[in-house]
Amino acid sequence: MYINFPLTKKKSIAIVPDRFALYRYPVFKAISNQLEPEIRVVIYADTSEDSTKVKIVNSDFCNDSLKDGGIRWRKIKSFYVKHVCVWQTGLIRLALLDDCRVIIYWGEANRLSTWVSATLARCVGKKVVFWTHGLYGNENIIKRVFRTWFYKLADVLLLYGEYGKKNLSRVGIPSNRMFVINNSLNVERQINIINKVDVADLQLLRNKFCPNFERLLIFVGRLEKSKRLDLLFYSLVRLKKQGIRTRAILIGTGSQEASLRSLAKALSILDSVIFWGECYDDDKVLPILSISDVCVSPGEVGLTAMHSLICGTPVITHNDFSEQMPEFEAIKPGKNGFFFRRGDVEDLTEKICDCFQAIDAGRITKKTCCEVIEKYYTPKYQKLIFYRAIFPLLFG
């Protein structure tokens, strides 16, 4: 049963993600808890899991009051073609009939319902916002022109990073219409989990994984071809030849797990790789991240970077930013991680060694890793940017 909330047209905001992913709950909750009581925020989202297997918020939240942790939430349905969301139900009604002043769509240009709904919303005087990655920089000319037309539909763009903003500036999107909102996880809860674990227990955990005082590398994510974990395995071989005792723990599962096990066996490093399996429980994952030396994501890095850095663990990933997720911007070379030349095993190995040396010399510390997340990648920071962008649309 979904509750309909009476909204005030002048100050109501609709947010339309494709799915209400659990990790988005803290920022959506923060936005909903705006001190201005007349502002109403409603999430329009599907409640079922998609092919990415991202954990979805329990739909019971929509029946709870705001003070009990609930969020105004109306159910819509998303339709997919080859794992790409192309249509969301109810958006034409949202544009034409529902009493909302601002509609915030997930800014994906292949979503036909967004094109239709955003165009209609503009025609009836509503304000349109896209929450989006922007341009990656690897688009061909046709795709770039197509996406640029799409982004020009919006009054305001909320962007995940500065890189996307720079690419959009190059195609003529005015800077005053773009706001970098970054991304966030439940940072407050993560810090509480990390702080409540006893130091002695962390040392026991470290000894379990590294009984011979090896360095510990970690990867958290799906074991898919795009993650290029073969590069990590070849680096383990090189580190072994250099006399650097290293182990790697992989938290996750995926289509490449069997082939990665075979590769580890063929390279004679099977005893140096721990296949931990799939786990979405922060109470288990965060302590392991905390006792690891370096998080290595040879393919693109996304939320893993934020998970790792808040635990005080530096991150290494590749330097081809057109093929990266926006969270790469949280990595500051020499301060909380490094970038290696994409696809280059030798350079990856060198950067892992550089990271070990920076840790030993005190240039990379728990503090240098955490501070960028605590400052720029929290629900509190996102709320600040959100209303900085949205208030002029509500009251203008």
Side-chain angles (χ1 to χ4, degrees), residues 201-259:
D201 291 335
L202 289 176
Q203 189 58 54
L204 287 173
L205 186 62
R206 171 81 184 202
N207 293 341
K208 173 185 175 182
F209 294 129
C210 303
N212 298 310
F213 305 102
E214 299 96 336
R215 294 284 196 170
L216 183 59
L217 305 178
I218 188 169
F219 169 83
V220 182
R222 297 283 298 169
L223 307 186
E224 302 295 341
K225 195 170 184 179
S226 63
K227 301 301 182 179
R228 293 305 312 270
L229 291 168
D230 56 308
L231 297 177
L232 173 58
F233 285 14
Y234 286 116
S235 284
L236 290 175
V237 174
R238 287 175 174 267
L239 290 166
K240 186 176 180 180
K241 289 180 179 178
Q242 295 177 29
I244 302 173
R245 294 184 298 184
T246 311
R247 302 194 82 192
I249 180 169
L250 312 182
I251 300 180
T253 188
S255 63
Q256 296 297 299
E257 182 171 347
S259 62

Side-chain angles (χ1 to χ4, degrees), residues 78-213:
S78 299
F79 291 92
Y80 290 76
V81 174
K82 294 183 178 180
H83 308 303
V84 175
C85 180
V86 296
W87 189 267
Q88 294 172 287
T89 61
L91 298 196
I92 293 177
R93 176 185 175 86
L94 178 64
L96 295 178
L97 301 177
D98 280 25
D99 289 334
C100 55
R101 172 65 173 164
V102 177
I103 306 177
I104 301 170
Y105 304 88
W106 249 231
E108 298 180 7
N110 48 25
R111 200 164 297 174
L112 179 59
S113 56
T114 301
W115 278 91
V116 175
S117 180
T119 301
L120 292 174
R122 290 292 300 267
C123 289
V124 298
K126 295 183 179 181
K127 299 298 183 181
V128 170
V129 177
F130 291 157
W131 196 325
T132 179
H133 291 272
L135 293 175
Y136 287 90
N138 59 359
E139 297 88 355
N140 61 41
I141 187 168
I142 294 175
K143 185 178 288 188
R144 186 171 68 250
V145 170
F146 177 70
R147 288 183 176 176
T148 301
W149 284 345
F150 176 70
Y151 295 132
K152 287 182 177 180
L153 274 175
D155 296 284
V156 161
L157 297 172
L158 296 174
L159 299 165
Y160 285 108
E162 291 288 347
Y163 183 78
K165 180 178 180 179
K166 289 177 183 177
N167 286 334
L168 287 171
S169 293
R170 294 189 183 105
V171 297
I173 304 294
S175 293
N176 62 0
R177 288 171 52 193
M178 297 187 284
F179 296 81
V180 176
I181 196 169
N182 292 330
N183 209 341
S184 73
L185 296 170
N186 195 339
V187 173
E188 185 176 342
R189 180 177 183 274
Q190 291 176 326
I191 292 173
N192 287 337
I193 290 172
I194 296 165
N195 289 341
K196 77 178 182 181
V197 181
D198 190 85
V199 175
D201 291 335
L202 289 176
Q203 189 58 54
L204 287 173
L205 186 62
R206 171 81 184 202
N207 293 341
K208 173 185 175 182
F209 294 129
C210 303
N212 298 310
F213 305 102

